[in-house]
Amino acid sequence: MLDKLVLATLPYVPRPVMRRLASRYIAGEKLEEALAKLADLARRGYPGILDILGEHVADADAARAAARSYAQAAAAVANAKLDAYVSVKPTHLGLLLDEELCLHLYSGLATRCREIGLRVRVEMEDHPTTDATLRVFEALRKSFDNVGIVLQSRLLRTPADIDALTPGPLDVRLVKGIYLEPATIAHVDPEPIRAAYVVCARRLLVRGARLGFATHDDGLAERCLLEVRAADAAPDRYEFQVLLGVREELWARWKDAGHTVRVYVPFGPEWRAYSQRRLRKNPQILRHVMRDALGLGPSK
Ligand code: FAD
């Protein structure tokens, strides 16, 4: 009820207030602000991931413009000698408008990034995009060794998707999945989503993948570390990945224990529309933000 009320009033929240709420999670509107945040994190011992906020572009020109912004951001990261890579939503590069164009734009970005020593991550969005995203990723894998994918443990299909990926080096960010999906195709309760996450982690470790455990769920992280040990995976085979502003005490604990912790740094002029869309699609995020703002600690 409270979620619904807050969501309904979101468009009327004054920009400066929204900006203040978002500032903890978003580096800013400009590339310079994101670079400054990455540099600050690097000084504190955290490598980064750079994300330009945006999705579901309206036309091919907007997709091309997004790809150009990413290429520019990647070049700036390389110039600044930061340990960071770029992470791109397929619908930001026009996946649902024209799959060929999307593949072409990812290929151009991956080529540029390969020249300057950066990785590119193909993110995973909601289920109507899963098949096309996996097709684009598989096509990219044929020509590039600097491209990784995101897989979502929430989706029932994911273990089969892992098995269906062609053999060869594989770089996966494993997430629970931020999009609330129907129960016919997804786990909907927290524990089955966690159990599926562990199953996927195990399968990926067995097939030799490099893994980013992208979670702030410390219990789940412990279970993943048991899998890492059982697979006898070297420390460079996995890392933790976290969102800017979320559970920093956990990052420090993991870093102090010797694990790599990479921080996801989103930025861009579209931050307001993007934040509102995300909150509307998954009110759980709003609950997390509200608990944080009120100093109530993590929800279980
Ligand atoms: P949860 O149980 O949701 O969270 C554990 C605890 O962390 C919560 O109790 C809360 O205290 C805190 N928390 C979690 N999220 C927030 C938040 N937003 N604000 C404040 N507190 C919070 N999903 C995709 O579907 N596709 C992607 O490409 C994708 N990329 C991601 C990249 C990174 C680096 C990360 C960390 C996540 C990404 N996600 C992506 C989101 C992911 O799927 C989950 O929705 C998100 O990480 C929350 O799940 P959790 O595992 O942290 O567990």
Side-chain angles (χ1 to χ4, degrees):
M1 185 64 192
L2 182 61
D3 285 352
K4 279 201 181 133
L5 193 69
V6 178
L7 286 174
T9 56
L10 273 179
Y12 308 105
V13 177
R15 194 179 165 87
V17 176
M18 267 299 277
R19 182 72 189 84
R20 214 177 134 73
L21 266 179
S23 65
R24 179 163 168 195
Y25 306 103
I26 291 167
E29 296 197 4
K30 300 201 173 74
L31 176 58
E32 296 75 56
E33 293 171 282
L35 291 172
K37 180 60 78 179
L38 287 171
D40 173 53
L41 289 164
R43 272 191 293 277
R44 293 162 51 201
Y46 300 108
I49 302 168
L50 193 61
D51 169 65
I52 305 179
L53 294 167
E55 59 188 354
H56 291 284
V57 287
D59 53 40
D61 282 347
R64 287 191 196 95
R68 278 195 300 276
S69 299
Y70 264 108
Q72 194 192 353
V77 164
N79 273 342
K81 300 195 172 13
L82 290 162
D83 177 357
Y85 68 78
V86 289
S87 200
V88 190
K89 286 191 172 44
T91 67
H92 203 179
L93 298 191
L95 181 76
L96 293 183
L97 301 172
D98 179 345
E99 193 174 316
E100 276 306 307
L101 172 70
C102 180
L103 174 57
H104 172 72
L105 294 175
Y106 266 116
S107 299
L109 182 61
T111 303
R112 184 73 192 104
C113 284
R114 187 168 56 190
E115 285 161 9
I116 56 180
L118 253 66
R119 306 191 61 72
V120 179
R121 174 87 50 198
V122 178
E123 296 200 340
M124 192 58 82
E125 302 180 76
D126 54 354
H127 79 270
T129 64
T130 312
D131 283 324
T133 300
L134 289 170
R135 276 196 300 273
V136 166
F137 174 61
E138 284 286 70
L140 288 167
R141 272 179 89 205
K142 289 190 184 133
S143 313
F144 299 98
D145 60 3
N146 62 331
V147 177
I149 185 77
V150 177
L151 295 173
Q152 301 161 325
S153 72
R154 179 187 294 276
L155 291 187
L156 303 178
R157 59 178 286 170
T158 300
D161 285 340
I162 293 172
D163 292 345
L165 288 169
T166 47
L170 184 61
D171 178 349
V172 175
R173 173 194 301 155
L174 189 57
V175 298
K176 289 180 180 174
I178 201 165
Y179 307 90
L180 296 186
E181 303 284 12
T184 45
I185 59 160
H187 303 289
V188 288
D189 292 321
E191 187 43 40
I193 295 173
R194 285 191 193 103
Y197 193 106
V198 177
V199 167
C200 293
R202 189 177 305 146
R203 277 189 197 215
L204 288 163
L205 285 164
V206 164
R207 62 169 290 170
R210 194 172 182 283
L211 261 177
F213 298 117
T215 183
H216 316 89
D217 180 335
D218 35 345
L220 177 59
E222 286 305 321
R223 288 159 73 177
C224 290
L225 287 175
L226 290 178
E227 296 298 329
V228 166
R229 276 176 219 126
D232 203 16
D236 65 352
R237 283 268 311 281
Y238 77 94
E239 64 186 20
F240 288 111
Q241 299 183 355
V242 291
L243 300 172
L244 186 67
V246 176
R247 299 209 63 194
E248 287 207 26
E249 88 289 351
L250 202 58
W251 317 354
R253 208 199 304 158
W254 286 337
K255 180 165 76 73
D256 293 347
H259 308 297
T260 299
V261 181
R262 191 176 285 277
V263 183
Y264 189 91
V265 176
F267 80 99
E270 289 188 38
W271 64 270
R272 185 183 168 110
Y274 180 87
S275 310
Q276 289 186 358
R277 265 200 310 274
R278 281 278 70 76
L279 289 173
R280 221 168 263 122
K281 281 209 166 168
N282 187 349
Q284 274 171 15
I285 303 173
L286 186 62
R287 234 164 287 146
H288 291 328
V289 173
M290 283 161 74
R291 286 187 69 86
D292 252 8
L294 298 171
L296 295 176
S299 44
K300 295 295 163 202

